[in-house]
Amino acid sequence: MKRTIKTISAVLMIAMLVALTIIPSFAAKDTLVINSQDNLNIKKGDIVTYELDLGDCTEDVIGLQANLFYDSQYLKYVDDTLEFPVLNSVVSNTNLDNRITFNWTDITNTADFSKSKPFVKASFEVLKGGETEITYFISELYGEDMTYLKDFTFTYRLYVNGKRAVKDEVPVVEQDKDNIDLYQGTFTNYADGKGENNGSGDSHVSIVGEGKNVAPTEVTQGDGGTVEQPANDILPTILVIFGIVVVLGGIIAIIVIRNIVSKKEK
């Protein structure tokens, strides 16, 4: 009898241990971890708002081109939630796979990001549990001298169902090679979210694609259609073409003048 009781007790203990190991596993599958934040208890159906903030800029911003990346297996963009609290008349497109793209320029109404302010905000519906990231990649960010900013700090916040869950953390820069090669511009992104001049330490690592030509940006039009906005490298191309035309024009002019002089001498 005693042996039977001991056997039953041992079986129950083993069953309890197995149950304790299985329960956290199921719980993990039900929750979504975003940007390695594993203590937020984000579940299917929750609305997560991602806010990328910019500050510490020593000059006003007059132009930018950027992308937010997400995984549509885990997150679905919520229509009409894209916001630019500081910027006006931003051109954007949210109808792309796993990406939100936007650009802006205004030389008369420059943007002051000397103190940390929201750069872009967007909300997503959680589709399932697991692990995912919301990342960003800046192609262009320039000030009044028309060169890329070298003093800045990017941070991010997360809101879950309207309540702030993460504040002023280092945002995750997109590192997929295909994406950063395609969208690399003159701006340099750093893993610590800081600029060339104000960043330091082991985490201040540049994330740079091989290409230096920004791909055309598909922008949403008022009628719901899309058009392509030319890439930022179109100006050098125009200048090269203009230079060729000037050189050819000069050669033609020299030939014409020589012919006129030759006829007069005869």
mmCIF file with all atom_site columns, all heavy atoms in Angstrom, residues 220-237:
data_model
loop_
_atom_site.group_PDB
_atom_site.id
_atom_site.type_symbol
_atom_site.label_atom_id
_atom_site.label_alt_id
_atom_site.label_comp_id
_atom_site.label_asym_id
_atom_site.label_entity_id
_atom_site.label_seq_id
_atom_site.pdbx_PDB_ins_code
_atom_site.Cartn_x
_atom_site.Cartn_y
_atom_site.Cartn_z
_atom_site.occupancy
_atom_site.B_iso_or_equiv
_atom_site.pdbx_formal_charge
_atom_site.auth_seq_id
_atom_site.auth_comp_id
_atom_site.auth_asym_id
_atom_site.auth_atom_id
_atom_site.pdbx_PDB_model_num
ATOM 1   N N   . THR A 1 220 ? 1.369  57.971 -51.802 1.00 0.00 ? 220 THR A N   1
ATOM 2   C CA  . THR A 1 220 ? -0.076 57.884 -51.910 1.00 0.00 ? 220 THR A CA  1
ATOM 3   C C   . THR A 1 220 ? -0.643 59.200 -52.419 1.00 0.00 ? 220 THR A C   1
ATOM 4   O O   . THR A 1 220 ? -0.313 60.272 -51.912 1.00 0.00 ? 220 THR A O   1
ATOM 5   C CB  . THR A 1 220 ? -0.693 57.555 -50.546 1.00 0.00 ? 220 THR A CB  1
ATOM 6   O OG1 . THR A 1 220 ? -0.135 56.324 -50.088 1.00 0.00 ? 220 THR A OG1 1
ATOM 7   C CG2 . THR A 1 220 ? -2.206 57.415 -50.646 1.00 0.00 ? 220 THR A CG2 1
ATOM 8   N N   . GLN A 1 221 ? -1.522 59.121 -53.400 1.00 0.00 ? 221 GLN A N   1
ATOM 9   C CA  . GLN A 1 221 ? -2.186 60.298 -53.928 1.00 0.00 ? 221 GLN A CA  1
ATOM 10  C C   . GLN A 1 221 ? -3.578 60.418 -53.316 1.00 0.00 ? 221 GLN A C   1
ATOM 11  O O   . GLN A 1 221 ? -4.105 59.477 -52.737 1.00 0.00 ? 221 GLN A O   1
ATOM 12  C CB  . GLN A 1 221 ? -2.299 60.198 -55.454 1.00 0.00 ? 221 GLN A CB  1
ATOM 13  C CG  . GLN A 1 221 ? -0.944 60.154 -56.164 1.00 0.00 ? 221 GLN A CG  1
ATOM 14  C CD  . GLN A 1 221 ? -0.177 61.451 -55.990 1.00 0.00 ? 221 GLN A CD  1
ATOM 15  O OE1 . GLN A 1 221 ? 0.519  61.629 -55.001 1.00 0.00 ? 221 GLN A OE1 1
ATOM 16  N NE2 . GLN A 1 221 ? -0.319 62.350 -56.921 1.00 0.00 ? 221 GLN A NE2 1
ATOM 17  N N   . GLY A 1 222 ? -4.193 61.574 -53.486 1.00 0.00 ? 222 GLY A N   1
ATOM 18  C CA  . GLY A 1 222 ? -5.505 61.813 -52.903 1.00 0.00 ? 222 GLY A CA  1
ATOM 19  C C   . GLY A 1 222 ? -6.584 60.888 -53.424 1.00 0.00 ? 222 GLY A C   1
ATOM 20  O O   . GLY A 1 222 ? -7.540 60.579 -52.743 1.00 0.00 ? 222 GLY A O   1
ATOM 21  N N   . ASP A 1 223 ? -6.423 60.409 -54.699 1.00 0.00 ? 223 ASP A N   1
ATOM 22  C CA  . ASP A 1 223 ? -7.435 59.530 -55.265 1.00 0.00 ? 223 ASP A CA  1
ATOM 23  C C   . ASP A 1 223 ? -7.188 58.066 -54.957 1.00 0.00 ? 223 ASP A C   1
ATOM 24  O O   . ASP A 1 223 ? -7.859 57.181 -55.471 1.00 0.00 ? 223 ASP A O   1
ATOM 25  C CB  . ASP A 1 223 ? -7.518 59.725 -56.786 1.00 0.00 ? 223 ASP A CB  1
ATOM 26  C CG  . ASP A 1 223 ? -6.188 59.439 -57.475 1.00 0.00 ? 223 ASP A CG  1
ATOM 27  O OD1 . ASP A 1 223 ? -5.232 59.075 -56.768 1.00 0.00 ? 223 ASP A OD1 1
ATOM 28  O OD2 . ASP A 1 223 ? -6.122 59.582 -58.712 1.00 0.00 ? 223 ASP A OD2 1
ATOM 29  N N   . GLY A 1 224 ? -6.176 57.788 -54.097 1.00 0.00 ? 224 GLY A N   1
ATOM 30  C CA  . GLY A 1 224 ? -5.887 56.421 -53.709 1.00 0.00 ? 224 GLY A CA  1
ATOM 31  C C   . GLY A 1 224 ? -4.877 55.729 -54.587 1.00 0.00 ? 224 GLY A C   1
ATOM 32  O O   . GLY A 1 224 ? -4.418 54.646 -54.284 1.00 0.00 ? 224 GLY A O   1
ATOM 33  N N   . GLY A 1 225 ? -4.494 56.368 -55.710 1.00 0.00 ? 225 GLY A N   1
ATOM 34  C CA  . GLY A 1 225 ? -3.490 55.780 -56.577 1.00 0.00 ? 225 GLY A CA  1
ATOM 35  C C   . GLY A 1 225 ? -2.098 56.084 -56.083 1.00 0.00 ? 225 GLY A C   1
ATOM 36  O O   . GLY A 1 225 ? -1.910 56.745 -55.073 1.00 0.00 ? 225 GLY A O   1
ATOM 37  N N   . THR A 1 226 ? -1.104 55.595 -56.814 1.00 0.00 ? 226 THR A N   1
ATOM 38  C CA  . THR A 1 226 ? 0.275  55.861 -56.430 1.00 0.00 ? 226 THR A CA  1
ATOM 39  C C   . THR A 1 226 ? 1.061  56.321 -57.628 1.00 0.00 ? 226 THR A C   1
ATOM 40  O O   . THR A 1 226 ? 0.772  55.955 -58.767 1.00 0.00 ? 226 THR A O   1
ATOM 41  C CB  . THR A 1 226 ? 0.956  54.610 -55.848 1.00 0.00 ? 226 THR A CB  1
ATOM 42  O OG1 . THR A 1 226 ? 0.952  53.589 -56.842 1.00 0.00 ? 226 THR A OG1 1
ATOM 43  C CG2 . THR A 1 226 ? 0.249  54.120 -54.600 1.00 0.00 ? 226 THR A CG2 1
ATOM 44  N N   . VAL A 1 227 ? 2.043  57.157 -57.367 1.00 0.00 ? 227 VAL A N   1
ATOM 45  C CA  . VAL A 1 227 ? 2.989  57.574 -58.388 1.00 0.00 ? 227 VAL A CA  1
ATOM 46  C C   . VAL A 1 227 ? 4.377  57.440 -57.798 1.00 0.00 ? 227 VAL A C   1
ATOM 47  O O   . VAL A 1 227 ? 4.534  57.284 -56.589 1.00 0.00 ? 227 VAL A O   1
ATOM 48  C CB  . VAL A 1 227 ? 2.760  59.046 -58.828 1.00 0.00 ? 227 VAL A CB  1
ATOM 49  C CG1 . VAL A 1 227 ? 1.403  59.202 -59.462 1.00 0.00 ? 227 VAL A CG1 1
ATOM 50  C CG2 . VAL A 1 227 ? 2.903  59.991 -57.635 1.00 0.00 ? 227 VAL A CG2 1
ATOM 51  N N   . GLU A 1 228 ? 5.385  57.523 -58.621 1.00 0.00 ? 228 GLU A N   1
ATOM 52  C CA  . GLU A 1 228 ? 6.751  57.446 -58.126 1.00 0.00 ? 228 GLU A CA  1
ATOM 53  C C   . GLU A 1 228 ? 7.352  58.832 -58.060 1.00 0.00 ? 228 GLU A C   1
ATOM 54  O O   . GLU A 1 228 ? 7.262  59.600 -59.006 1.00 0.00 ? 228 GLU A O   1
ATOM 55  C CB  . GLU A 1 228 ? 7.613  56.553 -59.031 1.00 0.00 ? 228 GLU A CB  1
ATOM 56  C CG  . GLU A 1 228 ? 7.327  55.082 -58.845 1.00 0.00 ? 228 GLU A CG  1
ATOM 57  C CD  . GLU A 1 228 ? 8.368  54.222 -59.525 1.00 0.00 ? 228 GLU A CD  1
ATOM 58  O OE1 . GLU A 1 228 ? 9.167  54.784 -60.292 1.00 0.00 ? 228 GLU A OE1 1
ATOM 59  O OE2 . GLU A 1 228 ? 8.376  53.006 -59.286 1.00 0.00 ? 228 GLU A OE2 1
ATOM 60  N N   . GLN A 1 229 ? 7.933  59.144 -56.916 1.00 0.00 ? 229 GLN A N   1
ATOM 61  C CA  . GLN A 1 229 ? 8.657  60.390 -56.774 1.00 0.00 ? 229 GLN A CA  1
ATOM 62  C C   . GLN A 1 229 ? 10.121 60.113 -57.072 1.00 0.00 ? 229 GLN A C   1
ATOM 63  O O   . GLN A 1 229 ? 10.697 59.190 -56.508 1.00 0.00 ? 229 GLN A O   1
ATOM 64  C CB  . GLN A 1 229 ? 8.503  60.943 -55.351 1.00 0.00 ? 229 GLN A CB  1
ATOM 65  C CG  . GLN A 1 229 ? 9.272  62.227 -55.143 1.00 0.00 ? 229 GLN A CG  1
ATOM 66  C CD  . GLN A 1 229 ? 8.794  62.931 -53.906 1.00 0.00 ? 229 GLN A CD  1
ATOM 67  O OE1 . GLN A 1 229 ? 7.615  63.109 -53.707 1.00 0.00 ? 229 GLN A OE1 1
ATOM 68  N NE2 . GLN A 1 229 ? 9.717  63.337 -53.075 1.00 0.00 ? 229 GLN A NE2 1
ATOM 69  N N   . PRO A 1 230 ? 10.756 60.916 -57.959 1.00 0.00 ? 230 PRO A N   1
ATOM 70  C CA  . PRO A 1 230 ? 12.132 60.616 -58.346 1.00 0.00 ? 230 PRO A CA  1
ATOM 71  C C   . PRO A 1 230 ? 13.052 60.564 -57.149 1.00 0.00 ? 230 PRO A C   1
ATOM 72  O O   . PRO A 1 230 ? 12.859 61.237 -56.144 1.00 0.00 ? 230 PRO A O   1
ATOM 73  C CB  . PRO A 1 230 ? 12.497 61.798 -59.267 1.00 0.00 ? 230 PRO A CB  1
ATOM 74  C CG  . PRO A 1 230 ? 11.173 62.304 -59.766 1.00 0.00 ? 230 PRO A CG  1
ATOM 75  C CD  . PRO A 1 230 ? 10.219 62.087 -58.634 1.00 0.00 ? 230 PRO A CD  1
ATOM 76  N N   . ALA A 1 231 ? 14.103 59.770 -57.260 1.00 0.00 ? 231 ALA A N   1
ATOM 77  C CA  . ALA A 1 231 ? 15.088 59.631 -56.191 1.00 0.00 ? 231 ALA A CA  1
ATOM 78  C C   . ALA A 1 231 ? 15.898 60.898 -56.062 1.00 0.00 ? 231 ALA A C   1
ATOM 79  O O   . ALA A 1 231 ? 15.962 61.731 -56.953 1.00 0.00 ? 231 ALA A O   1
ATOM 80  C CB  . ALA A 1 231 ? 16.017 58.453 -56.511 1.00 0.00 ? 231 ALA A CB  1
ATOM 81  N N   . ASN A 1 232 ? 16.584 61.042 -54.915 1.00 0.00 ? 232 ASN A N   1
ATOM 82  C CA  . ASN A 1 232 ? 17.343 62.249 -54.639 1.00 0.00 ? 232 ASN A CA  1
ATOM 83  C C   . ASN A 1 232 ? 18.575 62.398 -55.513 1.00 0.00 ? 232 ASN A C   1
ATOM 84  O O   . ASN A 1 232 ? 19.188 63.453 -55.539 1.00 0.00 ? 232 ASN A O   1
ATOM 85  C CB  . ASN A 1 232 ? 17.777 62.253 -53.164 1.00 0.00 ? 232 ASN A CB  1
ATOM 86  C CG  . ASN A 1 232 ? 16.601 62.483 -52.254 1.00 0.00 ? 232 ASN A CG  1
ATOM 87  O OD1 . ASN A 1 232 ? 15.538 62.889 -52.702 1.00 0.00 ? 232 ASN A OD1 1
ATOM 88  N ND2 . ASN A 1 232 ? 16.783 62.212 -50.973 1.00 0.00 ? 232 ASN A ND2 1
ATOM 89  N N   . ASP A 1 233 ? 18.964 61.331 -56.226 1.00 0.00 ? 233 ASP A N   1
ATOM 90  C CA  . ASP A 1 233 ? 20.157 61.436 -57.051 1.00 0.00 ? 233 ASP A CA  1
ATOM 91  C C   . ASP A 1 233 ? 19.847 61.940 -58.451 1.00 0.00 ? 233 ASP A C   1
ATOM 92  O O   . ASP A 1 233 ? 20.693 61.900 -59.325 1.00 0.00 ? 233 ASP A O   1
ATOM 93  C CB  . ASP A 1 233 ? 20.868 60.085 -57.145 1.00 0.00 ? 233 ASP A CB  1
ATOM 94  C CG  . ASP A 1 233 ? 20.001 59.032 -57.823 1.00 0.00 ? 233 ASP A CG  1
ATOM 95  O OD1 . ASP A 1 233 ? 18.778 59.126 -57.713 1.00 0.00 ? 233 ASP A OD1 1
ATOM 96  O OD2 . ASP A 1 233 ? 20.565 58.132 -58.451 1.00 0.00 ? 233 ASP A OD2 1
ATOM 97  N N   . ILE A 1 234 ? 18.631 62.426 -58.695 1.00 0.00 ? 234 ILE A N   1
ATOM 98  C CA  . ILE A 1 234 ? 18.279 62.901 -60.022 1.00 0.00 ? 234 ILE A CA  1
ATOM 99  C C   . ILE A 1 234 ? 19.001 64.199 -60.367 1.00 0.00 ? 234 ILE A C   1
ATOM 100 O O   . ILE A 1 234 ? 19.298 64.468 -61.519 1.00 0.00 ? 234 ILE A O   1
ATOM 101 C CB  . ILE A 1 234 ? 16.742 63.082 -60.139 1.00 0.00 ? 234 ILE A CB  1
ATOM 102 C CG1 . ILE A 1 234 ? 16.369 63.293 -61.610 1.00 0.00 ? 234 ILE A CG1 1
ATOM 103 C CG2 . ILE A 1 234 ? 16.266 64.259 -59.295 1.00 0.00 ? 234 ILE A CG2 1
ATOM 104 C CD1 . ILE A 1 234 ? 14.877 63.237 -61.845 1.00 0.00 ? 234 ILE A CD1 1
ATOM 105 N N   . LEU A 1 235 ? 19.304 65.033 -59.359 1.00 0.00 ? 235 LEU A N   1
ATOM 106 C CA  . LEU A 1 235 ? 19.978 66.304 -59.615 1.00 0.00 ? 235 LEU A CA  1
ATOM 107 C C   . LEU A 1 235 ? 21.366 66.105 -60.217 1.00 0.00 ? 235 LEU A C   1
ATOM 108 O O   . LEU A 1 235 ? 21.689 66.738 -61.226 1.00 0.00 ? 235 LEU A O   1
ATOM 109 C CB  . LEU A 1 235 ? 20.065 67.125 -58.322 1.00 0.00 ? 235 LEU A CB  1
ATOM 110 C CG  . LEU A 1 235 ? 20.733 68.501 -58.455 1.00 0.00 ? 235 LEU A CG  1
ATOM 111 C CD1 . LEU A 1 235 ? 19.998 69.356 -59.474 1.00 0.00 ? 235 LEU A CD1 1
ATOM 112 C CD2 . LEU A 1 235 ? 20.766 69.207 -57.095 1.00 0.00 ? 235 LEU A CD2 1
ATOM 113 N N   . PRO A 1 236 ? 22.230 65.237 -59.655 1.00 0.00 ? 236 PRO A N   1
ATOM 114 C CA  . PRO A 1 236 ? 23.522 65.005 -60.296 1.00 0.00 ? 236 PRO A CA  1
ATOM 115 C C   . PRO A 1 236 ? 23.396 64.520 -61.737 1.00 0.00 ? 236 PRO A C   1
ATOM 116 O O   . PRO A 1 236 ? 24.188 64.896 -62.593 1.00 0.00 ? 236 PRO A O   1
ATOM 117 C CB  . PRO A 1 236 ? 24.162 63.928 -59.409 1.00 0.00 ? 236 PRO A CB  1
ATOM 118 C CG  . PRO A 1 236 ? 23.516 64.094 -58.084 1.00 0.00 ? 236 PRO A CG  1
ATOM 119 C CD  . PRO A 1 236 ? 22.110 64.501 -58.388 1.00 0.00 ? 236 PRO A CD  1
ATOM 120 N N   . THR A 1 237 ? 22.396 63.675 -62.002 1.00 0.00 ? 237 THR A N   1
ATOM 121 C CA  . THR A 1 237 ? 22.190 63.192 -63.368 1.00 0.00 ? 237 THR A CA  1
ATOM 122 C C   . THR A 1 237 ? 21.875 64.332 -64.310 1.00 0.00 ? 237 THR A C   1
ATOM 123 O O   . THR A 1 237 ? 22.396 64.415 -65.418 1.00 0.00 ? 237 THR A O   1
ATOM 124 C CB  . THR A 1 237 ? 21.042 62.156 -63.387 1.00 0.00 ? 237 THR A CB  1
ATOM 125 O OG1 . THR A 1 237 ? 21.346 61.114 -62.470 1.00 0.00 ? 237 THR A OG1 1
ATOM 126 C CG2 . THR A 1 237 ? 20.852 61.582 -64.778 1.00 0.00 ? 237 THR A CG2 1
#
